[in-house]
Amino acid sequence: MPLQENGKIFKSLDETYNRFTFLLAVGLMYPNPKTDKMRTAGLCVIYLLCVPMFLILCNDIRIRQQNNDVQNLVRQVVIFVALMFANTKSFLTIIYKKELREIYDSINVDYAAFNDLPEDFQELVEDTINKSKSLETVWLAIVSTTGGIFPGSALLLNVYFFLFTDTPRRFMLHECHIWNLTPEQQYSSPVYEIFFLYCCFITLVIVLGFSGFDGMFSICMFHLSLKIKIIMKKLEYVLDKSDLAKTKANIAQILRDQSEVYNLRDKLLKGYEVWLVLIFILSVTQTAMALSQITSSKQMSGATLSFILFGVTCTAHIYFPCYLSSEVTHTAAKVSDVLYSTQWEDISDTSIRRSIMFMIARAQKPMVFKAMDLITFNMEMFMSVMQTAYSMLTLLRK
């Protein structure tokens, strides 16, 4: 991989992922000291604009509960929780802005340092960044498609019934009772048009809320895995039997790199642990509710397709953090094996051998992601979430 003339190929986090910066900025998810006040004010405005929808959904839930309409009750709860979670994540970026900013600043420092690495190291960096971008693209596509299916299906049904049937009718983006309005009043102009556009705005808030914060977590996790891989790459050159002073300097650098990895892991847990606990709860409940909507539908419709995609999104929402956490744990576990294979036992200097043994012992401790010391994120937890969601589904179906 040839270097550019100025020797710089890796830019800052903002520039590296510039294709996603717009979504992060519009979604008010990216902590920036220069825009903190404006971002906080913008979030408050968005939340206030969402309040009418919260009230409408609460009123509809009350009506469904009184009528014992479990199917539609679940449908309203699904949207209510999704909207609440999107707003909550936005405010988490304010509450944890210092921690998140430290994470992003440390990544920027690493990117600057990557430009001075040998070419084979830079290939590893570029490969990791490309994988990170690919996963980000997949997640944005899933969220955007799921969000877009709600207004898209409503528009298509409106066009179809007005152009190809003898009984034209209107379809809401999300069917619900609007306070004391009768169905005739809800579907009459201009109430229908205003509420349809308002629902489109709510959909946009949910899509942006689910894209920025989650996307940045995947970028950070890939970066953590990359730092571990760079350590393993450095271990190939750590021992120089002809120059013990150089060997000691190499070991000292790797020890610093190990400390940076653990510090970054701790910062990630501190900045994202509330979110991790929330997505665990959300994924279990939302997946079960989405499946209940799908299985209760007797025939395929726009609403059924919407909830199929919603169920896929809920599954991906918990799968990606579990997969990335497991990937980091698996990668970190290889460090001790690589260290042991460096032929350190042939070194006569006892201080070097002692340092190597210390590094091996440190690397043998599993690097796990345990949110709030309660929930360990790995693929085993993903399977547990799916099993719990299925158990909840059976309860909702009874």
Side-chain angles (χ1 to χ4, degrees), residues 131-149:
K131 288 180 179 178
S132 180
K133 286 183 176 181
S134 297
L135 182 60
E136 181 79 354
T137 302
V138 170
W139 174 242
L140 289 175
I142 291 173
V143 174
S144 300
T145 302
T146 303
I149 197 65

Side-chain angles (χ1 to χ4, degrees), residues 277-394:
V277 172
L278 288 175
I279 65 169
F280 168 76
I281 299 171
L282 181 80
S283 298
V284 171
T285 56
Q286 294 288 77
T287 302
M289 290 179 180
L291 288 173
S292 72
Q293 290 294 299
I294 297 167
T295 55
S296 62
S297 300
K298 296 181 180 180
Q299 57 184 4
M300 178 63 69
S301 64
T304 305
L305 179 60
S306 299
F307 278 99
I308 289 175
L309 290 174
F310 193 87
V312 171
T313 304
C314 290
T315 303
H317 197 206
I318 191 64
Y319 172 79
F320 288 142
C322 290
Y323 164 75
L324 292 170
S325 300
S326 292
E327 182 68 18
V328 170
T329 302
H330 180 68
T331 303
K334 295 180 181 178
V335 174
S336 60
D337 294 335
V338 176
L339 275 166
Y340 190 79
S341 303
T342 56
Q343 297 181 343
W344 58 276
E345 67 275 6
D346 295 335
I347 299 292
S348 57
D349 191 289
T350 56
S351 64
I352 293 178
R353 296 172 66 177
R354 192 181 303 114
S355 297
I356 294 291
M357 287 188 288
F358 170 77
M359 293 165 64
I360 292 174
R362 191 180 191 184
Q364 285 178 332
K365 184 178 180 180
M367 180 176 287
V368 297
F369 284 81
K370 197 169 185 178
M372 291 186 171
D373 289 328
L374 295 174
I375 306 170
T376 301
F377 275 74
N378 49 38
M379 293 308 296
E380 288 77 12
M381 195 205 77
F382 172 74
M383 295 303 298
S384 176
V385 167
M386 294 296 100
Q387 292 171 355
T388 305
Y390 180 77
S391 299
M392 285 188 64
L393 172 63
T394 58

